[in-house]
């Protein structure tokens, strides 16, 4: 494992991540990806520690990915799903967290449909003076740091598999297309891509990309960097023109409070990623999607299955290595 000093106790947001932290995650994830290719895919790093996955919102890949990552590090895992828990009997989120604390949990991986819940639990753990670390696995429309980091890792390892580092994306043009308004993935990706020195081009219909989006974002992070590197488009074409990578996002129908789109067919026509539209991009363009995908809406079905263009499967594999790295950093030194 590369020797790095890691000072972050909780991982809640990428807005204030440093270059050193990004590089530490990328290099460590590369080592774990190598572990995952071995016959024995397990290391004893977190033996004796308890990782609790507290998912107050449905999830397939993120929850399973954290579970297998924790298991590959030899941690014991606890899985909580709100629908089958005592929350249905009225228990509060903090009481649920304290119950898991009393069972000896060392790391809480938390997903919630409200922004700020992982942050609130982290504060409570700090207030109680316990060593529990909190990892945000997606909070409302706010952030999804592990997804941002796995997307970064997927891109950097494509360029230099042996030595992924954030500077590899310097000057690349990256388009983020789709339901940006409701996307925590977009927000985390914007922070990491801005930090890399890439040009980030957002494209969506105006209802899904408010004119003041960048202003709001600037309140949380580096306003100056955003101004020079983040571009907003209400049409797809200028974002795709000469792009090196295209990140598509799911239409988050569960978060849409009003009728923001005339129809899914029209959305696909204007903003759906297809082979024809990709001709505007650089010749070797690659497409990412965090999943789950609405096939034929944000991306055409054939493109999604084309291994020459789609990085979707590679994102899922990268996710396990990146989450192992994150658990390793916040879990080391706990026992
Ligand atoms: C994303 C999420 O839940 O934020 N999915 C994921 O974690 N892989 C994006 C989405 O739901 O569209």
């Amino acid at each position: 494992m590369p020797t790095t000093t890691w000072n972050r106790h909780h991982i809640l947001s990428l807005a204030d991540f440093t270059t050193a932290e990004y590089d530490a995650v990328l290099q460590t994830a590369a080592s774990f990806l190598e572990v995952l290719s071995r016959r024995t895919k397990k290391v004893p790093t977190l033996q004796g520690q308890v990782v609790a996955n507290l998912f107050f919102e449905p999830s397939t890949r993120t929850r399973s990915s954290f579970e297998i990552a924790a298991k590959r590090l030899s941690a014991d895992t606890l899985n909580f799903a709100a629908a089958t828990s005592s929350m249905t009997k009225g228990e509060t989120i903090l009481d649920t967290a304290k119950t898991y604390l009393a069972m000896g949990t060392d790391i809480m991986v938390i997903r919630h449909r409200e922004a700020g819940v992982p942050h609130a639990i982290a504060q409570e753990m700090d207030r109680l003076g316990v060593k529990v670390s909190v990892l945000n696995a997606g909070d409302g429309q706010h952030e999804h740091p592990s997804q941002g980091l796995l997307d970064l890792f997927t891109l950097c390892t494509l360029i230099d598999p042996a030595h992924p580092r954030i500077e590899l994306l310097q000057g690349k043009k990256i388009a983020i297309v789709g339901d940006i308004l409701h996307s925590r993935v977009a927000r985390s990706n914007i922070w990491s891509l801005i930090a890399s020195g890439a040009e980030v081009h957002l494209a969506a219909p105006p209802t899904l990309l408010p004119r003041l989006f960048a202003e709001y974002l600037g309140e949380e992070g580096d306003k100056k960097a955003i101004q020079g590197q983040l571009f907003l488009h209400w049409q797809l074409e200028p974002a795709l023109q000469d792009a090196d990578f295209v990140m598509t996002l799911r239409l988050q129908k569960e978060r849409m409070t009003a009728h923001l789109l005339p129809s899914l067919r029209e959305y696909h026509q204007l903003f759906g990623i297809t082979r024809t539209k990709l001709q505007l991009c650089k010749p070797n363009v690659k497409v990412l999607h965090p999943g789950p995908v609405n096939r034929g809406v944000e991306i055409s079905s054939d493109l999604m299955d084309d291994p020459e263009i789609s990085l979707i499967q590679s994102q899922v594999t990268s996710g396990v290595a990146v989450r192992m790295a994150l658990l390793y950093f916040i879990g080391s030194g706990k026992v």
Side-chain angles (χ1 to χ4, degrees):
M1 223 44 59
T3 46
T4 2
T5 42
W6 183 269
N7 297 318
R8 197 177 285 266
H9 183 49
H10 306 292
I11 299 176
L12 301 171
S13 157
L14 296 186
D16 61 348
F17 246 59
T18 64
T19 304
E21 285 176 308
Y22 282 118
D23 281 343
V25 172
L26 294 173
Q27 283 166 37
T28 307
S31 315
F32 282 128
L33 198 62
E34 189 275 315
V35 169
L36 294 173
S37 69
R38 292 184 199 159
R39 225 160 74 99
T40 308
K41 301 175 173 56
K42 221 167 163 139
V43 284
T45 320
L46 294 189
Q47 206 156 34
Q49 291 201 38
V50 177
V51 176
N53 284 318
L54 309 182
F55 278 62
F56 299 92
E57 190 196 70
S59 164
T60 311
R61 68 212 78 217
T62 305
R63 202 200 53 73
S64 306
S65 181
F66 270 112
E67 183 175 356
I68 192 68
K71 286 185 164 148
R72 295 295 195 214
L73 294 170
S74 305
D76 295 314
T77 54
L78 293 170
N79 283 306
F80 160 95
T84 52
S85 75
S86 286
M87 290 202 81
T88 57
K89 301 178 188 168
E91 186 172 77
T92 68
I93 296 166
L94 278 184
D95 286 338
T96 305
K98 282 185 198 158
T99 304
Y100 279 87
L101 170 67
M103 281 180 215
T105 297
D106 298 284
I107 300 176
M108 294 184 187
V109 177
I110 299 174
R111 167 169 289 194
H112 198 281
R113 68 185 163 79
E114 303 284 346
V117 168
H119 199 269
I121 296 178
Q123 269 179 340
E124 180 65 6
M125 294 301 137
D126 293 347
R127 196 187 62 79
L128 293 170
V130 291
K131 269 171 94 186
V132 173
S133 286
V134 174
L135 215 157
N136 178 5
D139 62 329
Q141 297 172 206
H142 177 229
E143 278 220 41
H144 193 347
S146 65
Q147 182 72 43
L149 292 167
L150 79 86
D151 288 344
L152 185 72
F153 181 73
T154 306
L155 297 178
C156 293
T157 42
L158 194 73
I159 301 171
D160 187 350
H163 190 29
R165 55 203 186 279
I166 192 163
E167 67 176 30
L168 293 170
L169 297 183
Q170 171 111 41
K172 300 277 184 218
K173 176 169 175 179
I174 303 177
I176 304 183
V177 180
D179 187 358
I180 292 159
L181 176 65
H182 299 101
S183 176
R184 52 195 174 208
V185 175
R187 283 170 180 77
S188 291
N189 271 321
I190 288 168
W191 294 127
S192 61
L193 297 175
I194 295 279
S196 77
E199 259 190 33
V200 185
H201 290 256
L202 309 178
T207 44
L208 300 180
L209 179 58
R211 209 163 273 280
L212 288 175
F213 183 81
E215 240 94 331
Y216 294 134
L217 210 59
E219 306 294 316
E220 278 176 52
D222 187 346
K223 222 173 187 149
K224 243 172 82 199
I226 288 182
Q227 276 163 6
Q229 286 173 256
L230 188 71
F231 304 89
L232 273 60
H233 306 278
W234 293 278
Q235 277 165 351
L236 182 61
E237 291 69 21
L240 291 192
Q241 192 70 52
D242 296 321
D244 296 278
F245 300 106
V246 179
M247 296 179 154
T248 54
L249 299 169
R250 186 174 65 89
L251 283 183
Q252 313 240 327
K253 289 178 237 155
E254 74 280 14
R255 298 212 176 93
M256 292 189 186
T257 47
H259 297 285
L260 297 173
L261 295 168
S263 75
L264 294 183
R265 232 183 94 203
E266 183 179 317
Y267 176 83
H268 182 68
Q269 259 174 19
L270 295 175
F271 287 92
I273 303 299
T274 61
R275 247 172 242 283
T276 321
K277 289 181 190 152
L278 284 187
Q279 286 171 2
L280 288 169
C281 305
K282 292 253 176 72
N284 286 327
V285 66
K286 305 280 183 226
V287 176
L288 297 91
H289 192 303
V293 179
N294 295 306
R295 269 182 190 264
V297 179
E298 53 260 5
I299 181 169
S300 66
S301 198
D302 65 310
L303 206 54
M304 182 180 162
D305 297 328
D306 183 344
E308 293 296 314
I309 300 176
S310 161
L311 294 178
I312 297 174
Q313 292 307 317
S314 148
Q315 284 172 277
V316 176
T317 309
S318 298
V320 180
V322 166
R323 290 179 172 119
M324 284 173 81
L326 299 180
L327 294 172
Y328 161 77
F329 280 126
I330 57 175
S332 301
K334 278 210 160 63
V335 244

